[in-house]
Amino acid sequence: PTPPPAASSHTRLSLSSREGDFGGGGGGGESVPGGPRAGSSGYSVLRRPLDWDPTSDPTFDAPSSLDEDDDRPGGRSGDAEWFGSGRRRRDAGGGRGGAGAGGVAAASTKKMGGGDEPLHAPRKSETHRRNEESLQEIDLTKRTLEALDYPLVLGALSDECVTAPARRVVARELTGEEVKLTKVHRKKKKRKEEGGAVDDPDDDILTMPLTAPTVEGARRRYGAVSEMRGLLLAYDGRNKKLRPPPMGGTDFDLEPIFDMTDGGQVLEGPEILEVASTLRTLERLRRWGEGLASWKPNADDGTRANNGANRGGDGDDESETEKYMELPRLVSSISVDPDLLALLTDAFDDSGRLSSDTFPAVGRLRAKVRTLKRDVLSRLDTLLATPSVSSKISVESGGPTYSEVNGRVVIPVSEKFGNAVGIVHDVSRSGKTSYVEPTELVGPTNEMRSAEAELRGEEARVWRKLTASILDERASIERGVASAAQLDLVRARVRVGEKLDGVVPDVGDGGVISLREARHPVLLLRDLEDVVSNDVSLGEGSNRGLVLTGPNSGGKTVILKLLGLVALMARDGIPIPARAAPGDGYGDEGSSSSTSTGKGPRVDFFDPVLADIGDLQSVDGDLSTFSGHMLVCKKVLERTSSASSSSSKIPGASSLVLMDEVGSGTDPAQGVAIAQALLESLLDSNSRVAITTHYLELKQLASADDRFAVGGMQFVGGRPTYRYEPGVVGESFALAVAERMELPPRVLQRANELLDSETRRMGELLRDMEDQKALVDEQAKELMEKRREMDLMEMEMRAQRRKLEQKQLVARREEAKKFASKLEEKERVLEDILDRLKSDPSRKVVARSWDDVRFVKRDALTEAENVPSVLRRAREAAAKSDAENADLVPLTEMREKPALKVGDTLVICKKGSMRGKEVKIVKLGNKIEVAAGKMPLRLKKSELAMPTGATRAAGAGGRTPSGGKNQMLGPNGEVLSKEARRAMAGDEGAMGRARINSSNSFDDAPGGRGRKKGGNGGGMRLDSNTVDVRGCNFEEAREKCKSMFGRVMTQKDPVVYVLHGHGTGVLRRKVRDWLGRDRTFVKSWKKASDEDGGDAFTRVQVKKMQF
């Protein structure tokens, strides 16, 4: 730029006048935004403080347009654009009072009947005509969503989304708005359509909608939900691969930014930083998806995929059940250009300006500007120190020594020296002071301004380059953002499923809905309490239609809407509120077969889902309730017929049609005929239909046409229960409903009188049947609760048994450790003995060592015999021996005396070593002479018994008859030592003699009490009702008693005998104290009778479980 010309006197006058007008010099004036008030401190509107900092760089705004021509001096100005657009608007409008006004006048004249046309009254008003046209163009999809309250479900889903693109995907489901595609994507789609290929929106992540277009798409959505929930549940912060997607709080809202570029704007710092942040998050998501796809379960660290059990498989196929597939597929479209990411990340410095390191040209120009600025200021200081200049400085101004006017440095000089010093840029109001740019500074300042202009242009070029770089990768960025939105949608589906306590159903293409304990999702989202669950099914077997019957306000429409809602939720991949199959987790991706036989919830893919709930009654539209229904029915038939015959129809997919009170609003006979014909036509088009009705003829469809099933809503005690009962024809109960709605009694009484006797009697029978069924259902429910309680008790007992076994295992290990330690000690003693013998093999040492060896041996045997496990086996052997000989009943105690004769075989039941020995009768008398081998004996009848299959030659308790010695045998038949005999003796002898077991050979017990064969003996002690707690501590004894009590509680007369023995009496006392305090199992207890074992047993009367 060339230096400005020297100011003339005219110029000075003009500047002075302008300064005076704005309050220059010492006068007052208005404040100037961004600086001191004009006229104060010696400044004016033009003249500002000189704030040049040679260490800082100038800042410039980003260019407003991507077109570089707009920045050039010859570019189109904003004022010219505004003027041109205004003129075009006026031309289009016809000017003031011109063609535009004439047009309006002509239109008014025509409307008022001007001209030669005769004036006729219109047959229909304009509003009437518009309403009629709008009714003829019914949007069934939108009407269905609104009728089913599905926007509430989608609203809950949108609330769980954390990214703007995900919320837009949900909004498009409601508005039907299509995805905005770039030119590249539009051309690709057009080529695909021209090639004859069927367009599947799921094939491209950009066009992937919330609603699945195919059966496979619904399964993939549910598969992603199962995988996402598995990640959320399994994440513990340690496994870097098995973790939720790292969204990082990014909003991914780049649509407004790309809208700016579509309008030709250049992106500035905040927008570019937003893009850079989005790219960084997308890169993390890409790496996360790759890690998830390559993950394999590691048996060492215990990590296994949670989605495996949820996919309906048996867990044997690792490739199918233990790999994540759907989530990695969603992020597979993410591709981030590393060069672009690096460029945007490094584009700005810490202060938010364009980085001089990333853009060297900008850095060089900034350094040049700083150098030139420093040079100008240095020259100024030198100039002011020169006497030839300092003598001309005006001291009357009272202001600063130098200031700035339009980017030029000026100094105050006397008016007469102005032109001599340099270029005058401003004059004070008094005219005595001129503000002059010294001639020595003009050239350096021009050079600095030129460098600044060059810097501004370079920065503008960089801004455009950054914007162009982003636009070059726009397609991949938008695909990445779409992938992130789909991930966000999956997580939102999981959250909604948790709110609904939902499960993932099987999705097939057979037109089946089968749910157990399904609840209405909208009622759950409204946080209503006690939402009733129902089992509903449609489409199973030959059933294609469902007729819902029952009272008004009884819940028919709720069930109808429930069917439609679960069908829509299955298409959108949202878990449904129903009961999962036994053993299933949260999700079950579903079988790929259309004939799935799984017991879990199943909702097949329906396309379309149409509902006619409510009416289109309109006086202005000339529509009654019935005609409105018929108009909707016409549209439904058109949609279902076109869907079934369309070439793009999904193979196997069925339509789902829901109609409330079909055929109502007209003559009942004609309405029923039309309704039945409509239903049959819908079934012929492969649709699944569910209707509500009060017409008896439609209720009877199930009996005449096996394609229909009927179900009724329960009505008990004059009130609805909202329970759905399959296979039941529900009565309308109009009078009961009217009574509940508090209709006047006189009206109800008169209505009841007007009913014919048969109708009245039928209603009473139906009410009685409903009440009886409700009672049976309540009893069945109570029985199920009791059964559940019993299952819980059994589980608890098993858990206690496992704990006891664990304790026993620990005790055995400790016992083994102690015994091994003692054996090691004995080994060391033996080694010492052996060393002593080797060092001194004299006879005296040998004899003493032999005594030591025998002492060690005796001590080791004593230790082994007193090991608890050995003692336990000994007690078990003794008990077995007692049980085998307990069947010996003396002849004198038998009710029916046997007819004995010489030669018969008897068994000695007398105490001693001969007990259990079989003998032959030699002679009969008061005492019977018998032969034991070759030895004759004379025994009393009380010492002899009839033989049983359990008798044996050996004596009871493991004692050997040989030699008459009362020796005790160990578990393996060896003779036990004195110490072992003392430890094992206890109460076994007395207990063995006291026990009396049952015998199928006798029907009566001692004492004359009759007992039934094969029963529990009315309280007689048997092996089956006896619990042996000998050798147990109190806790172990109590657990064994509880286990036995739980098993016999369901018997007719539950009695248990506790065998605790005599011993020291401590265990007996503790057991009986506990029995006296227990209120859960024990009804009463007492000491056993002498015939049942006496004080060694406690007889317990157990509480009987009531059903």
Side-chain angles (χ1 to χ4, degrees), residues 530-602:
D530 301 326
V531 177
V532 179
S533 60
N534 286 289
D535 298 347
V536 294
S537 63
L538 173 65
E540 292 185 324
S542 60
N543 170 27
R544 295 185 180 180
L546 177 62
V547 180
L548 296 170
T549 63
N552 299 93
S553 303
K556 300 189 300 297
T557 307
V558 173
I559 299 298
L560 193 70
K561 289 186 175 183
L562 174 62
L563 292 171
L565 284 171
V566 297
L568 293 174
M569 293 170 71
R571 292 174 56 180
D572 291 348
I574 304 174
I576 60 175
R579 182 180 177 183
D584 280 2
Y586 174 90
D588 185 0
E589 185 183 357
S591 170
S592 60
S593 171
S594 63
T595 58
S596 171
T597 58
K599 296 182 180 180
R602 176 178 175 183

Side-chain angles (χ1 to χ4, degrees), residues 33 41 189 359 370 580 616 688 754 804:
S41 302
K189 182 178 180 181
F359 307 105
R370 289 195 299 269
L616 292 174
R688 301 295 182 266
L754 292 174
L804 180 59

Side-chain angles (χ1 to χ4, degrees), residues 920-1088:
K920 296 285 186 180
I921 298 177
V922 177
K923 185 178 179 180
L924 296 171
N926 290 334
K927 287 188 177 182
I928 300 176
E929 185 176 339
V930 295
K934 296 182 179 181
M935 181 178 63
L937 297 171
R938 293 190 67 190
L939 300 171
K940 298 178 181 179
K941 291 183 180 180
S942 61
E943 298 173 338
L944 294 171
M946 295 297 294
T948 66
T951 57
R952 62 181 182 178
R959 295 171 176 79
T960 60
S962 59
K965 295 181 179 180
N966 191 20
Q967 295 175 323
M968 184 174 290
L969 302 180
N972 298 320
E974 73 278 8
V975 178
L976 297 181
S977 64
K978 183 179 180 180
E979 290 81 5
R981 289 198 303 274
R982 280 200 306 267
M984 295 178 60
D987 306 307
E988 290 178 0
M991 296 308 100
R993 292 188 298 273
R995 178 177 293 176
I996 302 175
N997 289 337
S998 63
S999 174
N1000 292 332
S1001 303
F1002 304 98
D1003 298 299
D1004 298 302
R1009 290 183 297 172
R1011 304 183 183 183
K1012 298 179 181 179
K1013 281 188 178 182
N1016 63 2
M1020 181 178 69
R1021 186 173 62 80
L1022 308 172
D1023 281 344
S1024 60
N1025 65 356
T1026 301
V1027 52
D1028 188 353
V1029 298
R1030 291 176 299 175
C1032 301
N1033 59 34
F1034 171 66
E1035 292 297 331
E1036 294 172 343
R1038 183 170 61 180
E1039 292 303 323
K1040 291 180 71 173
C1041 290
K1042 285 184 178 180
S1043 178
M1044 175 64 81
F1045 295 164
R1047 289 199 297 269
V1048 303
M1049 288 181 73
T1050 57
Q1051 295 180 3
K1052 183 177 180 182
D1053 186 17
V1055 175
V1056 172
Y1057 287 87
V1058 182
L1059 172 55
H1060 41 65
H1062 293 288
T1064 61
V1066 175
L1067 179 62
R1068 175 183 57 196
R1069 184 173 65 257
K1070 288 186 176 181
V1071 168
R1072 288 180 176 176
D1073 288 345
W1074 167 66
L1075 293 175
R1077 297 190 308 270
D1078 184 79
R1079 295 293 181 269
T1080 304
F1081 299 99
V1082 180
K1083 185 176 181 181
S1084 63
W1085 68 271
K1086 64 180 180 179
K1087 180 187 73 173

Side-chain angles (χ1 to χ4, degrees), residues 51 66 112 433 486 507 528 600 631 642 696 718 757 825 845 999 1053 1107:
D51 57 354
L66 285 171
M112 296 300 297
T433 302
Q486 291 298 328
V507 180
L528 298 181
L631 182 60
S642 62
L696 181 61
S757 59
E825 182 181 352
V845 173
S999 174
D1053 186 17
F1107 292 99

Side-chain angles (χ1 to χ4, degrees), residues 189-323:
K189 182 178 180 181
K190 185 176 181 180
R191 286 196 302 267
K192 189 174 181 180
E193 292 175 351
E194 292 174 351
V198 178
D199 184 26
D200 185 357
D202 278 3
D203 290 343
D204 191 343
I205 196 70
L206 272 178
T207 59
M208 187 174 182
L210 175 69
T211 301
T214 62
V215 180
E216 197 59 37
R219 291 172 182 158
R220 285 197 297 266
R221 282 162 175 76
Y222 273 139
V225 167
S226 299
E227 293 175 6
M228 179 66 75
R229 186 173 187 272
L231 287 177
L232 295 176
L233 291 177
Y235 181 59
D236 55 4
R238 293 178 296 177
N239 195 316
K240 294 184 179 180
K241 289 186 178 180
L242 290 185
R243 60 191 178 103
M247 308 290 281
T250 306
D251 190 49
F252 295 95
D253 192 11
L254 300 185
E255 186 170 315
I257 295 177
F258 287 127
D259 287 343
M260 292 173 57
T261 60
D262 292 340
Q265 298 183 44
V266 175
L267 300 182
E268 299 187 20
E271 291 82 14
I272 293 177
L273 288 175
E274 179 69 20
V275 175
S277 175
T278 300
L279 290 179
R280 282 193 295 270
T281 305
L282 289 177
E283 178 62 20
R284 288 196 296 268
L285 287 175
R286 186 190 64 80
R287 291 197 298 266
W288 170 81
E290 290 179 350
L292 198 62
S294 62
W295 177 85
K296 291 184 179 179
N298 187 353
D300 296 333
D301 61 12
T303 57
R304 299 182 68 85
N306 287 283
N307 62 312
N310 299 332
R311 292 198 175 194
D314 57 7
D316 295 334
D317 187 357
E318 180 177 319
S319 63
E320 290 296 328
T321 62
E322 297 183 352
K323 282 188 178 181

Side-chain angles (χ1 to χ4, degrees), residues 219-494:
R219 291 172 182 158
R220 285 197 297 266
R221 282 162 175 76
Y222 273 139
V225 167
S226 299
E227 293 175 6
M228 179 66 75
R229 186 173 187 272
L231 287 177
L232 295 176
L233 291 177
Y235 181 59
D236 55 4
R238 293 178 296 177
N239 195 316
K240 294 184 179 180
K241 289 186 178 180
L242 290 185
R243 60 191 178 103
M247 308 290 281
T250 306
D251 190 49
F252 295 95
D253 192 11
L254 300 185
E255 186 170 315
I257 295 177
F258 287 127
D259 287 343
M260 292 173 57
T261 60
D262 292 340
Q265 298 183 44
V266 175
L267 300 182
E268 299 187 20
E271 291 82 14
I272 293 177
L273 288 175
E274 179 69 20
V275 175
S277 175
T278 300
L279 290 179
R280 282 193 295 270
T281 305
L282 289 177
E283 178 62 20
R284 288 196 296 268
L285 287 175
R286 186 190 64 80
R287 291 197 298 266
W288 170 81
E290 290 179 350
L292 198 62
S294 62
W295 177 85
K296 291 184 179 179
N298 187 353
D300 296 333
D301 61 12
T303 57
R304 299 182 68 85
N306 287 283
N307 62 312
N310 299 332
R311 292 198 175 194
D314 57 7
D316 295 334
D317 187 357
E318 180 177 319
S319 63
E320 290 296 328
T321 62
E322 297 183 352
K323 282 188 178 181
Y324 291 90
M325 296 179 292
E326 300 304 332
L327 293 180
R329 181 182 292 126
L330 288 178
V331 297
S332 61
S333 299
I334 296 179
S335 175
V336 177
D337 185 356
D339 295 335
L340 176 62
L341 180 57
L343 174 64
L344 299 184
T345 302
D346 300 335
F348 302 96
D349 56 20
D350 295 338
S351 61
R353 299 186 311 161
L354 292 175
S355 173
S356 298
D357 298 331
T358 305
F359 307 105
V362 174
R364 287 193 300 270
L365 289 173
R366 285 175 178 171
K368 182 178 179 181
V369 170
R370 289 195 299 269
T371 300
L372 293 175
K373 186 184 297 183
R374 193 178 297 111
D375 180 55
V376 171
L377 294 176
S378 177
R379 287 172 182 266
L380 177 62
D381 293 337
T382 303
L383 191 62
L384 291 175
T386 303
S388 60
V389 175
S390 60
S391 61
K392 300 175 183 177
I393 296 297
S394 175
V395 295
E396 297 179 359
S397 65
T401 307
Y402 49 81
S403 56
E404 177 184 1
V405 175
N406 293 330
R408 319 296 294 187
V409 179
V410 294
I411 59 177
V413 297
S414 299
E415 187 271 338
K416 59 183 177 179
F417 301 118
N419 290 330
V421 175
I423 302 173
V424 178
H425 287 279
D426 199 2
V427 179
S428 66
R429 176 179 294 179
S430 63
K432 295 179 179 181
T433 302
S434 297
Y435 294 93
V436 181
E437 178 183 11
T439 305
E440 293 83 357
L441 299 183
V442 173
T445 301
N446 288 341
E447 186 178 359
M448 184 190 70
R449 294 306 178 192
S450 177
E452 287 180 347
E454 189 177 355
L455 175 60
R456 180 187 292 107
E458 180 61 25
E459 287 191 356
R461 189 188 67 80
V462 171
W463 287 113
R464 291 190 176 95
K465 175 186 176 183
L466 292 175
T467 303
S469 299
I470 293 174
L471 292 179
D472 290 341
E473 294 294 325
R474 176 176 180 176
S476 62
I477 294 174
E478 288 181 336
R479 295 178 69 84
V481 169
S483 297
Q486 291 298 328
L487 274 182
D488 189 18
L489 280 175
V490 173
R491 189 161 55 178
R493 291 179 177 117
V494 173

Side-chain angles (χ1 to χ4, degrees), residues 805-817 868:
E805 291 174 353
Q806 185 67 23
K807 290 180 180 179
Q808 291 174 346
L809 179 61
V810 173
R812 284 196 297 270
R813 289 174 178 172
E814 294 297 328
E815 171 191 319
K817 289 180 181 179

